[in-house]
Amino acid sequence: MKIYDSLKKAFEDKDFDGLMKFYHSDYSFIRHQTNTTMSLSEWFPMMKSMLESNKFEMISWKCIYENDDILVDHNVLSFPDGSKEAVLACHMKKDGKIISTETGATPLSN
């Protein structure tokens, strides 16, 4: 099941409740930048606060590849603190939902 287009729309619409349906209850977010892992209960409040901020912007978002097991996308994001990053994300799927996300991020100059 492909979810990229619906997931992107929910992010663009800042529809936090709509986003929740795409994430598995056992979701984990792996940040190689800090060598940390966040559970769904830790990740969602952070994401919700970013979506609620008028300073969070998805400058571009492209699907690199998607099938029933994986979604790989590339994003350029502007964060509430004013920083910008190019982010390559690998989302593993289970039962039609995202169960884990690993990212690689490159800071961009403003």
Side-chain angles (χ1 to χ4, degrees):
M1 168 199 281
K2 292 194 176 186
I3 62 172
Y4 171 78
D5 290 331
S6 299
L7 181 68
K8 181 181 177 194
K9 177 144 178 46
F11 266 105
E12 289 171 343
D13 293 346
K14 298 186 177 198
D15 179 5
F16 180 75
D17 293 328
L19 282 177
M20 292 195 63
K21 70 180 181 180
F22 296 106
Y23 293 87
H24 196 279
S25 60
D26 293 329
Y27 176 78
S28 62
F29 179 74
I30 301 136
R31 295 182 69 192
H32 294 286
Q33 244 177 347
T34 59
N35 198 28
T36 58
T37 301
M38 299 172 80
S39 68
L40 183 66
S41 62
E42 296 167 319
W43 186 78
F44 261 80
M46 180 187 74
M47 183 53 58
K48 184 174 185 182
S49 70
M50 283 196 302
L51 288 177
E52 290 174 345
S53 170
N54 290 332
K55 295 183 178 184
F56 176 73
E57 181 183 3
M58 300 197 84
I59 297 168
S60 70
W61 192 356
K62 298 173 185 159
C63 180
I64 305 299
Y65 181 79
E66 183 177 15
N67 66 20
D68 290 343
D69 300 315
I70 191 170
L71 166 60
V72 180
D73 59 29
H74 183 267
N75 314 295
V76 176
L77 307 172
S78 177
F79 294 96
D81 68 1
S83 64
K84 291 181 184 176
E85 294 180 349
V87 179
L88 183 63
C90 177
H91 310 278
M92 299 305 296
K93 296 180 185 179
K94 180 179 179 182
D95 303 327
K97 294 184 175 195
I98 298 171
I99 191 155
S100 69
T101 301
E102 295 190 44
T103 64
T106 302
L108 302 173
S109 58
N110 292 335

